[in-house]
Amino acid sequence: AAADGLGSIAIDTTQLNMSVTDPTAWATAMNNLGMVPVGLAGQQLVTDSICVPGFDPSLSMMTGITPINPMIPGMGLVPPPPPTDVPVVKEIIHCKSCTLFPPNPNLPPPSTRERPPGCKTVFVGGLPENATEEIIQEVFEQCGDITAIRKSKKNFCHIRFAEEFMVDKAIYLSGYRMRLGSSTDKKDSGRLHVDFAQARDDFYEWECKQRMLAREERHRRKMEEDRLRPPSPPAIMHYSEHEAALLAEKLKDDSKFSEAITVLLTWIERGEVNRRSANQFYSMVQSANSHVRRLMNEKAAHEQEMEQAKETFKNALTGILTQFEQIVAVFNASTRQKAWDHFSKAQRKNIDIWRKHSEELRNAHSEQLMGIRREEEMEMSDDDSGDNPSKKLRVDDSALAAQAYALKEENDSLRWQLDAYRNEVELLKQEKGQLFRTEESLTKDQQLQFLQQTMQGMQQQLLSIQEELNNKKSELEQAKEEQTHTQAMLKVLQEQLKSAKELAEINGHDESQANEINVLTVALVNQDREKNSEKRSPGLKSEKEALLIGIISTFLHVHPFGANIEYLWSYMQQLDSRISANEIEMLLMRLPRMFKQEFTGVGATLEKRWKFCAFEGIKTI
């Protein structure tokens, strides 16, 4: 962006002239400064800012300097930094109202302070006493678009540009001697010193840009996390007789068994099993148990497939090993003297390398095949040892134990089923004894109770909302009163400031006395505001406000000269991003014994600052 901005700056041909007659000097200026030479005596060298038809290519041969390409970005008053191996040659710059003379090239370059982040403002010192704001703008507008010029009476000014890269072009003019017209008066000349300036506006814009980039980065990371996050599992429906009947059908289907068993497990863990639904859950558990035999059959089928794959792999490995043996036999036959003598030295070397490699591969495959055969022999020996009578007795005992355990489980299940039937009979008896209370009336009573509870909750919410609305209305009225009071006091202060300035001009007082008058009037306004705020300032509403007051008190205590509300808000934003500057200011205005507001400066430099004054209030009590 900086390069595009540099390339987009155009030069007014009526404001910049160079008195150069030597082509070597012209080439040096073009190479080092990137300036378009305009108004030269004789033939015009540059017709426009794009093409240079009158440029002689033989200049590069005479001067040893590569001719500059006019299409590169940066063809303006100040060029991009030149290579380190080429010395910078600064030329005289002619403007309408003044002339800039370059510094002595043997002197060291002017010193500059460390560049602040997002710097768009420069300090220009050493201006001639008779230099006007129009002359300053005429000189520095060639570096880029100027948004503001703040000139002082002491021969310096601050210039704010539209972009950051324009500051680098302005820094290039540091060290030039500026002369107004052709006058030799001391007040019409001065040596410019251009340096980086630290401005709150620049830093604030830089911070906003950084925050925007941080938000974009957080959004990008969140989108990436959301994209990589695994999908959430499907929601489990609540238990009902209809859903239980559907689930029982799904449990019998092999394709839907995995999904159905998850729902059944969730229902059981939720505690949906009771006397009424025990039989239904038992039937579903029984359906889940019926899949055990299917899973065992699938396992056996997979084991059979694995055995077939092993057999296929063993046969393929045997065939590969046979082919390796044949290849090794070919290499061994080639190494016999009858055929070996007819090969060249390089061919013998290659055949020897191939033979060794083939033998290594053959041995590795042979060991792998022997390992497979040893495993089969061990499995066969295990099967033979299983025919021992002692092992048969152990197997028979374990089978009997398994049968006894299965019979015991079946007996327990029958007992539980009998208990479930008994519970159902008791429930039917209770329902017959309460015929006057039908199921429809029960549901109506439940719906009525639910509606009553809902109405009570809505009434409570409505009351709380009305209380909040009343509180907000009272706060809004207080804020309006404070605003009108502040506006009235501001008008009084402006009138006092005008009268103080007139008195200072008449009596010859300096700005310090005007500041003292301003501070005294602000102190009187603050006292009046403290009295009014003490009357209507309520107590703390929540623990959050107490925490905010503690943090703000600590922050202002370590800043004895006070801090403006933007600085304080930027600090609090790091702790709580949802807090606003309005909320902080209202909290400070509610506590006049702890915090006071003062105005510093005069005119355009007028600034509001908050100070911590709780210790002063304790001493006066």
Side-chain angles (χ1 to χ4, degrees):
D4 296 339
L6 286 170
S8 65
I9 297 174
I11 293 181
D12 189 0
T13 57
T14 62
Q15 296 182 4
L16 187 62
N17 295 316
M18 288 186 61
S19 172
V20 181
T21 56
D22 187 8
T24 305
W26 182 88
T28 304
M30 285 291 291
N31 187 58
N32 293 330
L33 295 178
M35 297 168 54
V36 180
V38 181
L40 296 178
Q43 183 183 359
Q44 185 180 4
L45 295 177
V46 180
T47 58
D48 51 31
S49 59
I50 302 299
C51 58
V52 189
F55 180 69
D56 187 5
S58 62
L59 286 177
S60 60
M61 302 299 293
M62 293 188 296
T63 59
I65 299 173
T66 305
I68 191 167
N69 183 5
M71 295 297 291
I72 62 172
M75 292 293 289
L77 178 64
V78 181
T84 55
D85 54 347
V86 179
V88 179
V89 179
K90 295 186 176 182
E91 301 292 338
I92 300 175
I93 300 174
H94 297 275
C95 298
K96 274 186 177 181
S97 306
C98 63
T99 306
L100 300 179
F101 296 94
N104 189 354
N106 297 324
L107 294 177
S111 61
T112 57
R113 62 180 294 180
E114 185 179 356
R115 180 168 188 158
C119 179
K120 296 182 183 178
T121 307
V122 294
F123 166 83
V124 182
L127 293 169
E129 294 184 10
N130 295 333
T132 61
E133 188 172 330
E134 290 77 11
I135 295 175
I136 296 171
Q137 185 166 2
E138 178 188 350
V139 173
F140 285 93
E141 70 181 355
Q142 303 298 331
C143 301
D145 296 335
I146 297 175
T147 59
I149 297 177
R150 296 189 295 272
K151 188 176 181 302
S152 175
K153 297 178 181 179
K154 297 183 179 180
N155 302 335
F156 71 88
C157 69
H158 289 85
I159 303 175
R160 189 165 191 261
F161 292 97
E163 299 294 339
E164 293 183 26
F165 68 89
M166 301 175 183
V167 174
D168 298 325
K169 303 177 73 176
I171 293 293
Y172 181 82
L173 297 177
S174 183
Y176 271 80
R177 178 171 290 280
M178 182 177 180
R179 189 177 69 185
L180 304 180
S182 59
S183 175
T184 58
D185 192 2
K186 188 176 181 181
K187 294 183 178 181
D188 292 335
S189 65
R191 185 175 296 278
L192 299 180
H193 175 69
V194 187
D195 199 353
F196 301 108
Q198 190 167 4
R200 287 192 301 272
D201 296 340
D202 298 344
F203 187 70
Y204 176 72
E205 290 180 3
W206 179 80
E207 281 187 335
C208 292
K209 185 177 180 181
Q210 296 301 316
R211 283 195 292 270
M212 182 186 68
L213 294 175
R215 284 195 298 270
E216 291 177 357
E217 181 66 18
R218 285 196 300 270
H219 179 69
R220 186 189 63 78
R221 290 181 180 178
K222 186 175 181 301
M223 295 294 290
E224 188 68 18
E225 290 175 1
D226 293 342
R227 188 178 65 83
L228 298 176
R229 185 183 295 115
S232 301
I236 304 298
M237 73 288 292
H238 291 283
Y239 171 78
S240 64
E241 292 183 357
H242 176 68
E243 293 292 342
L246 294 177
L247 186 66
E249 295 296 329
K250 288 183 180 178
L251 285 170
K252 296 176 183 178
D253 190 356
D254 296 345
S255 60
K256 301 178 181 179
F257 175 73
S258 299
E259 180 184 354
I261 199 69
T262 306
V263 177
L264 178 60
L265 176 63
T266 305
W267 283 354
I268 295 173
E269 289 178 349
R270 285 178 183 174
E272 302 288 351
V273 183
N274 51 33
R275 290 185 178 182
R276 186 188 295 273
S277 60
N279 290 333
Q280 206 161 11
F281 272 98
Y282 177 76
S283 64
M284 288 188 288
V285 172
Q286 193 173 11
S287 299
N289 184 52
S290 65
H291 286 272
V292 174
R293 183 177 297 176
R294 176 182 64 82
L295 296 175
M296 294 301 295
N297 293 334
E298 288 182 1
K299 179 187 175 185
H302 288 307
E303 286 179 350
Q304 188 176 1
E305 291 177 0
M306 186 178 67
E307 292 296 333
Q308 292 177 358
K310 282 184 178 180
E311 188 67 25
T312 305
F313 175 70
K314 187 178 71 172
N315 295 334
L317 193 62
T318 304
I320 292 171
L321 186 60
T322 303
Q323 294 179 14
F324 269 118
E325 293 286 351
Q326 294 172 355
I327 293 172
V328 171
V330 169
F331 284 130
N332 290 332
S334 300
T335 55
R336 295 192 182 118
Q337 190 174 4
K338 185 183 294 184
W340 190 255
D341 294 341
H342 298 286
F343 294 118
S344 64
K345 189 174 181 180
Q347 292 173 346
R348 292 176 185 175
K349 186 177 180 181
N350 290 335
I351 292 172
D352 195 14
I353 292 172
W354 294 338
R355 180 180 60 80
K356 290 179 181 179
H357 184 60
S358 300
E359 287 179 353
E360 290 176 358
L361 293 175
R362 182 198 62 182
N363 295 334
H365 285 76
S366 178
E367 289 178 0
Q368 189 175 3
L369 185 60
M370 292 300 293
I372 293 172
R373 288 176 179 173
R374 280 196 296 269
E375 289 178 359
E376 290 179 352
E377 290 175 358
M378 290 175 66
E379 289 177 359
M380 293 292 293
S381 63
D382 291 340
D383 294 339
D384 294 339
S385 61
D387 296 336
N388 294 334
S390 59
K391 189 169 184 181
K392 284 183 179 179
L393 290 174
R394 288 197 296 271
V395 170
D396 293 340
D397 293 340
S398 63
L400 291 173
Q403 289 178 3
Y405 182 73
L407 290 173
K408 184 179 178 181
E409 282 192 349
E410 189 175 357
N411 189 16
D412 292 339
S413 66
L414 290 172
R415 191 185 304 114
W416 292 335
Q417 193 170 0
L418 182 60
D419 292 338
Y421 287 141
R422 286 176 182 172
N423 294 331
E424 285 185 1
V425 171
E426 290 178 0
L427 290 171
L428 289 173
K429 286 180 180 179
Q430 290 177 3
E431 289 177 357
K432 286 180 181 180
Q434 298 176 355
L435 289 174
F436 62 95
R437 296 278 312 269
T438 61
E439 187 175 354
E440 186 176 357
S441 63
L442 288 173
T443 54
K444 286 183 179 179
D445 292 341
Q446 290 177 358
Q447 290 177 359
L448 185 60
Q449 290 178 1
F450 179 76
L451 289 173
Q452 288 177 354
Q453 291 176 0
T454 306
M455 287 292 293
Q456 289 176 0
M458 292 176 68
Q459 287 175 358
Q460 291 177 358
Q461 289 180 359
L462 183 60
L463 290 173
S464 62
I465 290 171
Q466 285 179 353
E467 290 178 358
E468 291 179 359
L469 182 61
N470 294 331
N471 293 333
K472 294 292 184 182
K473 284 182 179 178
S474 61
E475 290 179 1
L476 183 61
E477 290 175 358
Q478 291 177 4
K480 287 181 179 178
E481 291 177 1
E482 289 178 358
Q483 185 178 4
T484 55
H485 182 71
T486 306
Q487 289 177 355
M489 296 307 298
L490 183 60
K491 290 180 180 178
V492 173
L493 282 173
Q494 289 176 353
E495 292 176 359
Q496 290 180 358
L497 285 173
K498 288 180 181 179
S499 60
K501 286 182 179 179
E502 291 175 358
L503 289 173
E505 291 176 358
I506 294 170
N507 299 329
H509 294 291
D510 55 359
E511 291 184 359
S512 62
Q513 292 178 350
N515 289 335
E516 291 177 2
I517 295 169
N518 187 14
V519 170
L520 289 174
T521 54
V522 170
L524 291 174
V525 173
N526 286 334
Q527 289 179 2
D528 189 10
R529 183 178 294 175
E530 288 174 3
K531 291 178 182 178
N532 294 332
S533 59
E534 284 177 1
K535 293 178 183 178
R536 59 175 181 273
S537 61
L540 298 179
K541 293 182 180 179
S542 62
E543 185 180 353
K544 179 182 177 182
E545 289 188 356
L547 183 60
L548 287 175
I549 289 169
I551 296 172
I552 293 170
S553 302
T554 308
F555 181 81
L556 292 178
H557 184 61
V558 299
H559 291 77
F561 296 104
N564 56 13
I565 195 68
E566 288 82 6
Y567 183 29
L568 185 59
W569 174 68
S570 65
Y571 174 75
M572 296 298 294
Q573 274 276 317
Q574 298 176 359
L575 304 177
D576 186 4
S577 59
R578 295 175 295 178
I579 195 168
S580 63
N582 240 346
E583 186 179 351
I584 297 173
E585 192 168 11
M586 292 296 294
L587 184 60
L588 294 176
M589 292 173 67
R590 281 170 47 196
L591 301 170
R593 287 187 176 274
M594 292 184 65
F595 309 102
K596 65 180 180 179
Q597 190 178 16
E598 291 186 357
F599 290 83
T600 59
V602 178
T605 61
L606 188 65
E607 183 181 9
K608 295 191 296 185
R609 290 194 177 187
W610 286 93
K611 290 188 178 181
F612 180 69
C613 62
F615 295 145
E616 298 174 6
I618 291 173
K619 292 176 182 178
T620 56
I621 292 174

